[in-house]
Amino acid sequence: MNLDSAYAAHQLFVAAYGQQHTLEVYLDYTCPFSAKLWRTLTSEVIPHIAEASLGVSIVFRHQVQPWHPTSTLLHEASLAVEKLNPLGFVPFSQALFEHQREYFDEANVEKTRTETYRQLADLAASINAIDDRQTMLQLLDIQPSAEARNAGNAVTNDLKYHIRLARAKAVHVSPTVAFDGVADDSVSSSWTLDQWKTWLAQKK
């Protein structure tokens, strides 16, 4: 599947030129099962694909699940980081999964949207994913208006793009994995590397 150049940092691994398969992973930063799949993917599956020269590129896709209320804010934050520093997108995604419990319902029930944005900007700055915390907040904060307009923030349209993409593919939950554009519900976040190897061999 084609990847819009504006979101090039979402490509987690690029296969050698001429090798055309694409593995898309639809993940929610506040989903424990997404975090589990992310860990296996980044620490074991991607190194295997690279070493074995399987010709498979890997793309991160946003799958915001509304029953995780802070999910929108985390995905917005990752898009803001990419705008400021594309190289910071993957490390920040890693940090979001590592710190996801800090954004679960019980941890945020009394926090405002603005307070959560500041927590996210602090996290991005702490791992050097961004140079300027304030610039990130300018992308995230809702700007004052004399009239309520539901205008969103500076990354709202980016998030809409990704949500529409997932909906067009009929993706309903995370994690969802698609190979060459076709979702495969058999893939599990609990898979070991050996199970991934077997599945990838069947796809070739």
Side-chain angles (χ1 to χ4, degrees), residues 119-134:
Q119 183 179 352
L120 289 162
D122 287 342
L123 177 60
S126 74
I127 63 165
N128 298 316
I130 56 169
D131 293 326
D132 184 4
R133 174 182 179 275
Q134 192 56 39

Side-chain angles (χ1 to χ4, degrees), residues 61-184:
R61 299 293 193 189
H62 298 267
Q63 177 59 17
V64 176
Q65 299 181 122
W67 49 89
H68 299 312
T70 58
S71 178
T72 293
L73 310 187
L74 272 65
H75 286 269
E76 285 181 331
S78 73
L79 291 165
V81 165
E82 183 179 30
K83 282 182 178 292
L84 298 173
N85 174 28
L87 294 178
F89 176 79
V90 171
F92 186 58
S93 294
Q94 176 72 26
L96 288 176
F97 283 122
E98 290 176 351
H99 291 262
Q100 69 171 195
R101 283 188 170 274
E102 297 169 24
Y103 301 94
F104 283 1
D105 292 349
E106 297 81 0
N108 286 269
V109 66
E110 295 185 2
K111 289 181 182 176
T112 67
R113 180 177 184 174
T114 299
E115 288 172 336
T116 302
Y117 283 151
R118 274 143 185 75
Q119 183 179 352
L120 289 162
D122 287 342
L123 177 60
S126 74
I127 63 165
N128 298 316
I130 56 169
D131 293 326
D132 184 4
R133 174 182 179 275
Q134 192 56 39
T135 303
M136 180 173 172
L137 289 174
Q138 289 173 358
L139 294 175
L140 294 173
D141 283 346
I142 303 300
Q143 300 305 312
S145 174
E147 179 183 354
R149 297 180 292 116
N150 241 2
N153 57 29
V155 294
T156 294
N157 287 337
D158 299 283
L159 186 62
K160 285 180 178 179
Y161 167 85
H162 291 285
I163 297 302
R164 288 167 179 159
L165 187 151
R167 287 178 177 175
K169 298 295 181 183
V171 176
H172 298 291
V173 297
S174 75
T176 292
V177 172
F179 192 88
D180 288 344
V182 179
D184 188 336

Side-chain angles (χ1 to χ4, degrees), residues 174-200:
S174 75
T176 292
V177 172
F179 192 88
D180 288 344
V182 179
D184 188 336
D185 294 335
S186 72
V187 178
S188 171
S189 61
S190 297
W191 274 7
T192 64
L193 176 58
D194 284 340
Q195 288 172 299
W196 274 101
K197 287 179 177 179
T198 298
W199 183 79
L200 287 166

Side-chain angles (χ1 to χ4, degrees), residues 20-35:
Q20 72 279 17
H21 296 294
T22 302
L23 176 66
E24 297 166 284
V25 288
Y26 291 81
L27 305 178
D28 178 345
Y29 289 123
T30 55
C31 168
F33 302 105
S34 288

